[in-house]
Amino acid sequence: MLLDLLGVVYNGDTPIAGAVSAIERLRNAGLPLRFVSNTTRSPHKAIIAQLTAFGVEVGEEELLTPARAAVEWLRRHGLTPHLLVHPNLEPEFSGLDGANGRAVIVGDAGEAFDHARLNRAFRELVAGADFVALATNRTFKDADGLLSLDTGAFVAALEFASSRSPVVLGKPSPDFFLSALANMNCSAADAVMVGDDAESDVAGALRAGLGAALLVRTGKYRPNDETRFNPAPTAVVDDLAAATDWILTNRAVV
């Protein structure tokens, strides 16, 4: 089981009705879980603390984020990050000083996105820095309940201006899904993804070879999202509680 967080388990600082008990049901059924989030505003420990406050106990190895993937990528390639991310996320990249050059790392910087920072990142790319996108989501459901621009819009601006294509480390990158499954020693065909984003969560998971991907009608979901991207969801359900019902009913055939 791979579960998205924002829009599936919680919105803002509030758990979605039935989500916490649904996770408990999945654990009681003996299904290994990984929480795969494209959230790039909060560090790893803060996300785990938030889930713990909701009553969801999560081990360090059970949470996968693009920021953690980026740190490993930078170490593997020996690169120093030029960060265009939210200030809360910057400490995740401390102590990285590679000898093989620089890499522009783009996440959801929120209010920190401005022309000066975007232009500095652009100039780094023109000068030859590697280009890494933590995610390419179009939108997310903000704390006020409305949709807001997500990282993808700013990645697209830098891509257009620099004529450079980024390495994408979060969803919908197949490697992100597969790294979560490798962490569980689980084959893709035996895995199910649950998300509120028909493009990054659902179509991305199915393109990565997962056995099923369920789209929930919570979070950023809007009517007919299931018709906008291919592959289409295996099923569309009301929320994580309904997704859990589907999983427990169909687990023998996934």
Side-chain angles (χ1 to χ4, degrees):
M1 284 303 310
L2 304 184
L3 302 182
D4 185 30
L5 288 175
L6 183 61
V8 175
V9 177
Y10 57 81
N11 282 320
D13 296 324
T14 306
I16 293 172
V20 173
S21 59
I23 293 169
E24 184 176 1
R25 289 170 59 203
L26 291 169
R27 289 202 187 278
N28 289 339
L31 294 175
L33 299 180
R34 290 295 182 269
F35 300 88
V36 289
S37 174
N38 266 8
T39 298
T40 59
R41 288 193 179 188
S42 300
H44 206 80
K45 289 182 178 179
I47 298 171
I48 290 178
Q50 182 179 25
L51 290 169
T52 300
F54 294 154
V56 180
E57 296 297 327
V58 179
E60 281 277 333
E61 77 287 352
E62 290 185 310
L63 173 63
L64 283 83
T65 65
R68 282 294 175 95
V71 168
E72 293 306 314
W73 188 92
L74 288 164
R75 285 177 177 154
R76 191 164 63 249
H77 290 84
L79 297 173
T80 299
H82 174 93
L83 298 175
L84 183 53
V85 301
H86 195 279
N88 290 345
L89 199 67
E90 291 180 358
E92 294 275 88
F93 295 89
S94 63
L96 293 171
D97 189 15
N100 296 332
R102 296 170 65 79
V104 173
I105 309 294
V106 186
D108 177 13
E111 297 298 323
F113 276 129
D114 59 30
H115 179 270
R117 292 193 72 191
L118 282 163
N119 203 44
R120 284 196 294 272
F122 162 73
R123 288 176 174 178
E124 289 278 352
L125 293 173
V126 170
D130 283 62
F131 186 7
V132 176
L134 298 184
T136 54
N137 296 69
R138 300 170 191 270
T139 63
F140 68 98
K141 188 174 183 179
D142 217 327
D144 60 4
L146 301 177
L147 293 182
S148 287
L149 287 173
D150 209 337
T151 313
F154 302 95
V155 171
L158 289 170
E159 186 173 4
F160 176 80
S162 68
S163 298
R164 300 276 303 281
S165 296
V167 173
V168 180
L169 295 182
K171 298 173 290 185
S173 167
D175 288 343
F176 191 68
F177 293 104
L178 296 178
S179 66
L181 299 178
N183 187 267
M184 289 190 287
N185 194 28
C186 175
S187 70
D190 292 330
V192 180
M193 174 72 203
V194 180
D196 67 327
D197 188 320
E199 183 177 20
S200 291
D201 293 337
V202 174
L206 292 172
R207 283 196 296 269
L210 272 70
L214 310 184
L215 179 65
V216 293
R217 298 188 185 95
T218 53
K220 71 171 69 173
Y221 173 83
R222 292 295 180 268
N224 299 316
D225 275 355
E226 59 269 28
T227 67
R228 296 189 176 115
F229 304 101
N230 287 310
T234 308
V236 183
V237 295
D238 285 340
D239 50 25
L240 182 54
T244 299
D245 291 337
W246 188 97
I247 291 159
L248 296 179
T249 300
N250 293 278
R251 61 185 301 186
V253 298
V254 172

